[in-house]
């Protein structure tokens, strides 16, 4: 009887041991999964390449170790971190503003840009960068007022095709990648040919970046201080010529050099306008990685491509990121 009791006790202990082991195994697996970086990314070669690069440049003693002050990451904006079809966000905002102006100024109702804006004729509306007349029309407003308008638009306006608020069109995997890089000592900058206030607003709103980390196209500003002790100085856009540096192509790399003073070691883009930025990150001594976002998911976003840029990526050894294969999700729910 005693022997049977001892045997029974051993069985109970064995079962308890098995249960505890299973609990530990599941807990360990859950903990490992929770700590795994880039969970909105599929387990593909692109994700593996990104993580391997970050680990190489952040591990002390590694031949590729990069000190924190040199860990610069630059992301393009339209099509790299936020949807750009059927038209980019700067153009959507310009059309909304111009339509309001046309409504308030009936004498302009026959002016083509007003008709195009109010009819959502994206194909013919010139946009801010395409029309000197439009830029002059919108000049006179303050930088602060424009940025406030941008913030309201991102919060309230809906995308014409994707049935989401425009401000919700940021790609969740790129937001997670941004956090992952920042957690590993990188300083992140958004770099775009869109106006500086818009780039700064998106950088702050969706990536928690300080204002100086949004690098965009500048408009000439004038400093205005009304007389009187209580007047608040403002920066106001001036009409006239816009012979300012472009933040596109080589201009994008030059803007990075001017405003950051260091080359990036991590760069992400999606069009030929990002080519020189990725070359700046990878065509020099020391470690560097370029990633190219490929829009090939017609169901969750859009399917279109810049084949010249993808060919350049192949030649330069940059990492192609397929939205269809590499992104578990596209937009956050």
């Amino acid at each position: 009887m005693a022997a049977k009791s001892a045997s029974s006790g051993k069985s109970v202990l064995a079962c308890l041991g098995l249960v505890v082991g299973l609990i530990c195994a599941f807990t360990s697996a859950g903990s490992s999964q929770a700590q795994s970086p880039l969970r909105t990314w599929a387990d593909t070669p692109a994700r593996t390449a990104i993580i391997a690069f970050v680990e190489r440049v952040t591990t002390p003693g590694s031949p590729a170790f990069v000190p924190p002050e040199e860990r610069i990451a630059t992301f393009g904006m339209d099509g790299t971190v936020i949807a750009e079809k059927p038209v980019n966000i700067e153009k959507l905002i310009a059309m909304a503003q111009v339509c309001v102006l046309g409504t308030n100024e009936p004498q302009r109702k026959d002016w083509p840009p007003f008709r195009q804006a109010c009819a959502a004729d994206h194909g013919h509306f010139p946009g801010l960068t395409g029309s000197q007349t439009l830029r002059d029309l919108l000049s006179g407003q303050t930088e602060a007022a424009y940025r406030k308008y941008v913030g309201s638009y991102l919060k309230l306006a809906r995308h014409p095709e994707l049935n989401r608020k425009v401000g919700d069109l940021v790609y969740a995997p790129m937001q997670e990648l941004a956090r992952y890089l920042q957690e590993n000592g990188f300083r992140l900058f958004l770099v775009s040919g869109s106006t500086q206030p818009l780039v700064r607003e998106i950088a702050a709103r969706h990536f928690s970046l300080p204002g100086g980390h949004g690098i965009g196209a500048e408009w000439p500003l004038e400093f205005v201080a009304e007389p009187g002790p209580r007047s608040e100085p403002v920066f106001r856009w001036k009409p006239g010529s816009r012979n300012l540096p472009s933040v596109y192509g080589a201009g994008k790399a030059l803007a990075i050099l001017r405003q950051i003073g260091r080359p990036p070691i991590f760069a992400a883009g999606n069009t030929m306008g990002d080519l020189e930025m990725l070359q700046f990150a990878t065509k020099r001594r020391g470690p560097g990685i370029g990633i190219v976002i490929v829009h090939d998911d017609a169901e969750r976003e859009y399917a279109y491509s810049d084949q010249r840029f993808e060919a350049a990526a192949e030649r330069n050894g940059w990492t192609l990121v397929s939205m269809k294969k590499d992104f578990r999700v596209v937009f956050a729910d």
Side-chain angles (χ1 to χ4, degrees), residues 49-268:
I50 291 169
I51 294 172
F53 175 80
V54 171
E55 290 178 348
R56 283 199 309 273
V57 298
T58 60
T59 301
S62 163
F65 177 75
V66 175
E69 64 271 17
E70 297 179 15
R71 293 178 203 161
I72 305 295
T74 55
F75 289 2
M77 190 176 79
D78 296 303
T80 298
V81 302
I82 193 166
E84 64 177 353
K85 294 293 182 180
V87 62
N88 67 37
I89 285 179
E90 182 185 65
K91 199 170 189 179
L92 286 173
I93 291 171
M95 292 179 76
Q97 284 191 298
V98 167
C99 186
V100 170
L101 286 170
T103 302
N104 294 335
E105 300 180 17
Q107 71 274 18
R108 296 184 182 269
K109 65 180 180 179
D110 293 327
W111 189 38
F114 283 125
R115 295 202 310 268
Q116 293 156 1
C118 294
D121 185 357
H122 309 120
H124 293 94
F125 184 80
L128 293 180
T129 57
S131 169
Q132 181 70 52
T133 307
L134 274 183
R135 294 198 299 268
D136 288 345
L137 180 68
L138 296 177
S139 292
Q141 65 182 311
T142 66
E143 191 271 351
Y146 177 74
R147 186 162 174 178
K148 183 177 180 181
Y149 183 87
V150 166
S152 298
Y153 186 89
L154 293 174
K155 185 178 180 180
L156 300 173
R158 299 195 73 82
H159 187 271
E161 296 179 353
L162 293 175
N163 195 32
R164 289 175 174 269
K165 291 181 180 177
V166 172
D168 293 339
L169 298 177
V170 175
Y171 306 134
M174 295 305 290
Q175 284 182 304
E176 187 184 25
L177 175 58
R179 289 193 299 270
Y180 174 60
L181 292 173
Q182 290 172 293
E183 289 166 359
N184 281 278
F186 281 77
R187 285 188 292 149
L188 173 65
F189 297 81
L190 290 191
V191 190
S192 171
S194 294
T195 57
Q196 185 108 287
L198 171 59
V199 181
R200 287 177 172 173
E201 185 65 23
I202 289 176
R205 179 180 293 267
H206 297 290
F207 295 90
S208 302
L209 296 173
H213 287 233
I215 301 174
E218 297 181 17
W219 277 22
L221 297 171
E222 59 181 350
F223 178 83
V224 181
E226 299 294 336
R230 290 187 173 275
S231 64
E232 182 177 349
V234 297
F235 293 93
R236 188 170 59 199
W237 283 337
K238 296 189 299 183
S241 63
R242 301 288 192 267
N243 296 321
L244 294 173
S246 168
V247 186
Y248 185 86
K252 188 166 284 191
L254 289 168
I256 292 169
L257 182 62
R258 283 196 304 268
Q259 298 200 40
I260 305 174
R262 292 182 182 274
I265 65 169
F266 191 113

